[in-house]
């Protein structure tokens, strides 16, 4: 019985292999791989109707081949199971085949030990089938991603905003289309970007040299006679990332050793894998947020800050104000005394934001810290406006010993330039909190606003308190976290704004601080277009007068 069943399975397996082989030969004879890849190099666009029919034929062929492969894998796994059963002492064969005619009732006379062994063989069969099927499922998904990407052919888009441009690069330079944090139009590839580009170049070299060896054998030559490509032969390339399919690389190579004019091009793609669920968890209860506010003068802004704080629906807040100097101290104490959950710490010293934030973290009420075993800090400035939704994100994106939150704040332009000089009525402060390119910009170079637990702040040894005055201390703290194993959540946050205010850059600042202050002042004033209108307002007025 076992021999006949194995024979039938083997015959079916051979027939399926033959069928797949015949289909592949017919298709390759009709189109060919070289013809498929060479179509993208033609200058004339293909006929849409022919392209649609061709695409449909390819998809139908791929679907049929995948179905046959899956069935072949299933039969192969079952054949392996039959052969393994034959080596045992007459164990019954249980196959998950509808057409096998096998009934579960035929195994009722078997002993318990045989049943256990049979179940174990079934489990092995299922595992074998699952692993083989998973391999081909992954291969099929990768081919699907490559086929869906705009790499071998163009894809119709709705408008120019959907077009994803490439970035040009060499081994030593990258010319990014998105300038990023450094705002550099050319930069050295470092970190993840360098590893990514180097892997793509090495993959291209591997493929080129494999193809090169095959061509050498076809000509009856040794591979060394034609020469192999090396990293020195890489000329340049372009790359981009499509969000749904993966990263694409077009790389160009020219042999230096043989001084040939032949340029070889390699198309490489890093396809994205299917989405995977990494973790599901429940957000912990909302802890109290301790807002630490360094202050020196700025009483009008301080009063507005406290008023906005009292209006927030989220009442699980505690404000610690660290005030420097004696000027305005009494008025500041009156403002703080008239509000709930506000504590003021006075220092008769030169203003130091680093020291203020450290002292604020130390002056959190003991009962609050004891109840939570730790304290969530929000290091803030008096010109910051935030919403209750931001406070939720402050809690969500922090965890002691695991992660800290550095929101990218939306910085508002000078309202006098945005509204008054444009002939518009100046809206209220609340109505000015609008995110648009004419009202402000994402302050991606600022690291002063941060949510983190006090234990992390103390463990990483906080700020450099030798920095006196404005700027610099926040970058130093951020770099400490960058070099640590704590995760940094850096993201744009539509619930936190930096209000425009007059910025004075004094000569007492260091050279680096002064340049940073001037840069911040210029960026805060208005958009590029609005500054252009101000610079050419005389020409604009003259043109309007002649029209």
């Amino acid at each position: 019985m076992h021999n006949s069943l194995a024979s039938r399975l083997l015959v079916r397996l051979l027939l399926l292999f033959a069928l797949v082989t015949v289909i592949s030969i017919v298709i390759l004879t009709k189109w060919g791989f070289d013809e498929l890849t060479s179509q993208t190099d033609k200058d004339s666009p293909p006929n849409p109707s022919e392209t649609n029919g061709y695409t449909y034929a390819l998809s139908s062929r791929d679907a049929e081949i995948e179905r046959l492969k899956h069935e072949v894998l299933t039969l192969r796994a079952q054949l392996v199971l039959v052969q393994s059963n034959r080596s045992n002492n007459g164990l019954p064969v249980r196959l998950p085949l509808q057409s096998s005619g096998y009934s579960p009732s035929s195994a009722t006379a078997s002993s318990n030990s045989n049943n256990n062994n049979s179940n174990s063989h079934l489990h092995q069969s299922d595992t074998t089938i699952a692993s083989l099927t998973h391999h081909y499922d992954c291969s099929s998904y990768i081919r699907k991603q490559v086929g869906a990407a705009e790499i071998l052919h163009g894809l119709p888009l709705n408008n120019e905003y959907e077009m994803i441009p490439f970035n040009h690069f060499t081994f030593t330079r990258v010319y990014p289309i998105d300038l990023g944090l450094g705002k550099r139009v050319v930069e050295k590839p470092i970190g993840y970007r360098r590893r990514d580009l180097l892997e793509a170049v090495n993959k291209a070299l591997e493929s080129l040299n494999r193809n090169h060896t095959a061509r050498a054998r076809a000509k009856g030559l040794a591979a060394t006679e034609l020469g192999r490509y090396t990293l020195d032969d890489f000329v340049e390339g372009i790359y981009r990332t499509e969000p749904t399919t993966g990263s694409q690389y077009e790389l160009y190579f020219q042999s230096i050793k043989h001084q040939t004019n032949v340029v070889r091009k390699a198309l490489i793609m890093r396809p994205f894998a299917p989405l995977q669920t990494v973790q599901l968890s429940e957000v912990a209860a909302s802890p109290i947020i301790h807002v630490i506010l360094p202050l020196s003068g700025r009483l009008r802004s301080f009063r507005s800050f406290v008023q906005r704080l009292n209006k927030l629906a989220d009442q699980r807040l505690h404000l610690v104000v660290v005030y420097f100097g004696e000027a305005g101290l009494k008025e500041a104490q009156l403002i703080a005394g008239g509000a709930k959950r506000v504590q003021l710490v006075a220092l008769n010293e030169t203003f130091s934001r680093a020291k203020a934030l450290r002292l604020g973290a130390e002056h959190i009420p003991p009962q609050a810290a004891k109840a939570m075993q730790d304290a969530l800090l929000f290091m803030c400035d008096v010109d910051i406006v935030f919403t209750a939704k931001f406070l939720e994100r402050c809690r969500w994106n922090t965890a002691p010993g695991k992660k800290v939150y550095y929101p990218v704040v939306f910085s508002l332009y000078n309202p006098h330039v945005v509204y008054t000089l444009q002939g518009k009525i100046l809206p209220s402060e609340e109505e000015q909190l609008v995110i648009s390119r004419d009202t402000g910009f994402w302050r991606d170079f600022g690291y002063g606003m941060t949510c983190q637990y006090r234990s992390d702040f103390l463990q990483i040894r906080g700020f450099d308190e030798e920095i006196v005055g404005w700027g610099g201390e926040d970058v130093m703290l951020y770099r400490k976290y960058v070099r640590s194993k704590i995760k940094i959540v850096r993201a744009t946050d539509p619930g936190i704004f930096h209000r425009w205010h007059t910025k004075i850059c004094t000569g007492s600042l260091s050279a680096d601080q002064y340049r940073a202050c001037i840069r911040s002042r210029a960026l805060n004033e208005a958009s590029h277009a609005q500054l252009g209108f101000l610079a050419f307002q005389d020409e604009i007025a003259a043109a309007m007068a002649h029209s």
Side-chain angles (χ1 to χ4, degrees):
M1 176 182 174
H2 298 308
N3 292 335
S4 61
L5 180 58
S7 301
R8 288 200 301 271
L9 287 175
L10 184 60
V11 170
R12 291 182 61 183
L13 187 62
L14 292 175
L15 288 175
L16 284 172
F17 272 127
L19 181 60
V20 172
T21 303
V22 170
I23 292 176
S24 302
I25 292 175
V26 171
I27 292 172
L28 291 177
T29 305
K30 186 175 181 180
W31 286 298
F33 287 120
D34 293 335
E35 184 179 349
L36 294 179
T37 56
S38 64
Q39 285 188 2
T40 57
D41 296 329
K42 294 182 180 179
D43 296 330
S44 58
N47 188 316
S49 60
E50 294 177 359
T51 303
N52 292 336
Y54 175 71
T55 304
Y56 176 76
L58 283 180
S59 61
S60 300
R61 180 206 64 177
D62 290 341
E64 180 63 18
I65 289 178
E66 289 303 319
R67 186 186 67 80
L68 293 173
K69 283 181 178 178
H70 187 274
E71 189 169 350
V72 167
L73 287 173
T74 304
L75 291 172
R76 182 185 297 175
Q78 294 171 358
L79 185 59
V80 169
L81 180 61
V82 169
Q83 292 174 347
S84 64
N85 283 336
R86 290 179 60 188
S87 62
N88 294 324
N89 298 326
L91 291 178
V93 181
R94 297 179 61 184
L95 297 177
L97 279 176
Q98 297 291 340
S99 58
S100 64
Y102 177 77
S103 173
S105 60
S106 62
T108 55
S110 300
S111 63
N112 293 333
S113 59
N114 287 348
N115 282 334
N116 294 334
N117 291 331
S118 179
N119 290 333
S120 65
H121 285 294
L122 269 177
H123 177 71
Q124 293 175 2
S125 173
D126 293 340
T127 303
T128 305
I129 295 172
S131 61
L132 294 173
T133 304
H134 175 72
H135 170 75
Y136 279 99
D137 285 345
C138 290
S139 301
S140 175
Y141 186 84
I142 290 174
R143 287 195 297 271
K144 176 184 175 183
Q145 291 289 78
V146 174
E150 191 180 17
I151 187 169
L152 285 176
H153 52 78
L155 294 175
L157 305 175
N158 293 324
N159 51 56
E160 67 275 17
Y161 298 102
E162 293 186 7
M163 174 62 191
I164 301 175
F166 285 88
N167 300 277
H168 183 92
F169 76 98
T170 64
F171 258 140
T172 59
R173 292 289 184 271
V174 174
Y175 303 86
I177 191 69
D178 295 322
L179 301 185
L181 177 61
K183 299 295 186 290
R184 300 185 181 94
V185 294
V186 56
E187 59 187 9
K188 293 181 180 179
I190 59 175
Y192 291 112
R193 178 175 293 179
R194 178 173 178 80
R195 289 196 292 272
D196 174 46
L197 297 178
L198 188 59
E199 285 183 11
V201 173
N202 283 328
K203 178 62 179 178
L205 285 173
E206 178 187 337
S207 301
L208 284 172
N209 289 326
R210 188 188 305 118
N211 186 39
H212 172 80
T213 303
R215 288 189 293 110
R217 290 176 179 173
K219 294 180 180 180
L221 302 173
T224 54
E225 295 183 41
L226 290 180
R228 293 173 61 86
Y229 287 95
T230 65
L231 288 175
D232 294 332
D233 298 326
F234 173 66
V235 180
E236 62 180 48
I238 56 177
Y239 74 93
R240 68 176 179 181
T241 299
E242 288 185 354
T244 57
T245 57
S247 299
Q248 306 168 11
Y249 312 83
E250 298 188 11
L251 311 174
Y252 296 87
F253 296 84
Q254 188 172 19
S255 178
I256 296 177
K257 183 178 180 180
H258 291 78
Q259 297 182 353
T260 177
N261 293 326
V262 177
V263 177
R264 303 280 292 174
K265 176 182 177 181
L267 288 179
I268 304 296
M269 182 172 172
R270 189 193 298 273
F272 289 151
L275 295 175
Q276 302 291 322
T277 301
V278 177
Q279 185 184 54
L280 295 175
S281 61
E282 185 175 337
V283 179
S286 299
I288 296 176
I289 297 178
H290 302 272
V291 183
I292 304 177
L293 181 67
L295 190 64
S296 180
R298 309 289 308 279
L299 297 176
R300 182 178 178 183
S301 298
F302 178 48
R303 181 178 286 106
S304 298
F305 184 91
V306 173
Q307 289 174 353
R308 290 193 300 270
L309 201 68
N310 291 331
K311 292 179 181 178
L312 284 176
D314 192 334
Q315 296 298 308
R316 295 182 61 79
L317 293 172
H318 179 262
L319 175 62
V320 179
V321 182
V322 181
Y323 194 90
F324 287 83
E326 294 184 355
L329 176 58
K330 291 185 178 180
E331 186 175 352
Q333 289 173 335
L334 289 174
I335 296 173
K340 299 179 180 179
R341 306 179 306 279
V342 177
Q343 177 185 1
L344 190 142
V345 179
L347 291 176
N348 190 16
E349 299 179 12
T350 304
F351 178 80
S352 170
R353 187 172 186 270
K355 177 176 281 190
L357 294 173
R358 193 257 303 167
L359 290 174
E362 292 177 354
H363 279 78
I364 292 174
Q367 62 273 18
K370 184 178 180 181
M372 296 195 42
Q373 302 300 323
D374 205 345
L376 177 56
L377 312 178
F378 170 37
M379 300 174 184
C380 190
D381 284 341
V382 73
D383 298 302
I384 294 297
V385 180
F386 52 87
T387 64
K389 194 63 179 177
F390 161 76
L391 296 176
E392 286 187 12
R393 287 187 282 267
C394 181
R395 297 182 176 103
W396 293 347
N397 292 314
T398 53
K402 294 182 178 180
K403 57 182 179 179
V404 295
Y405 185 41
Y406 273 87
V408 180
V409 178
F410 191 79
S411 190
L412 297 171
Y413 291 137
N414 186 346
H416 179 64
V417 177
V418 174
Y419 300 102
T420 307
L421 293 184
Q422 306 296 327
K424 302 177 182 178
I425 300 176
L426 186 66
S428 64
E429 290 185 356
E430 289 75 14
E431 293 173 337
Q432 292 179 27
L433 304 180
V434 177
I435 297 178
S436 74
R437 63 179 180 181
D438 294 325
T439 58
F441 67 100
W442 290 110
R443 201 181 186 90
D444 58 353
F445 56 85
Y447 305 98
M449 308 312 115
T450 172
C451 297
Q452 53 191 264
Y453 276 86
R454 183 171 64 174
S455 58
D456 296 328
F457 177 73
L458 296 177
Q459 184 176 2
I460 211 162
R461 301 182 66 181
F463 291 106
D464 183 359
E465 295 188 16
E466 293 183 0
I467 299 176
V468 178
W470 185 92
E473 76 291 331
D474 50 356
V475 180
M476 298 298 180
L477 178 64
Y478 184 75
R479 287 174 180 169
K480 288 182 180 180
Y481 280 115
V482 168
R483 297 184 179 114
S484 73
K485 293 185 178 181
I486 295 178
K487 177 181 177 181
I488 299 175
V489 181
R490 179 73 167 162
T492 53
D493 195 314
I496 181 169
F497 298 82
H498 179 272
R499 293 177 56 209
W500 180 88
H501 60 89
T502 304
K503 187 180 293 293
I504 299 175
C505 301
T506 64
S508 61
L509 299 173
S510 67
D512 291 339
Q513 286 178 316
Y514 186 81
R515 281 193 293 268
C517 183
I518 290 296
R519 178 172 179 263
S520 178
R521 181 177 175 181
L523 290 173
N524 283 340
E525 197 65 24
S527 67
H528 190 89
Q530 291 165 341
L531 290 176
F533 279 115
L534 290 177
F536 302 113
Q537 59 182 350
D538 293 338
E539 293 183 25
I540 296 173
M544 296 295 292
H546 288 293
S547 61

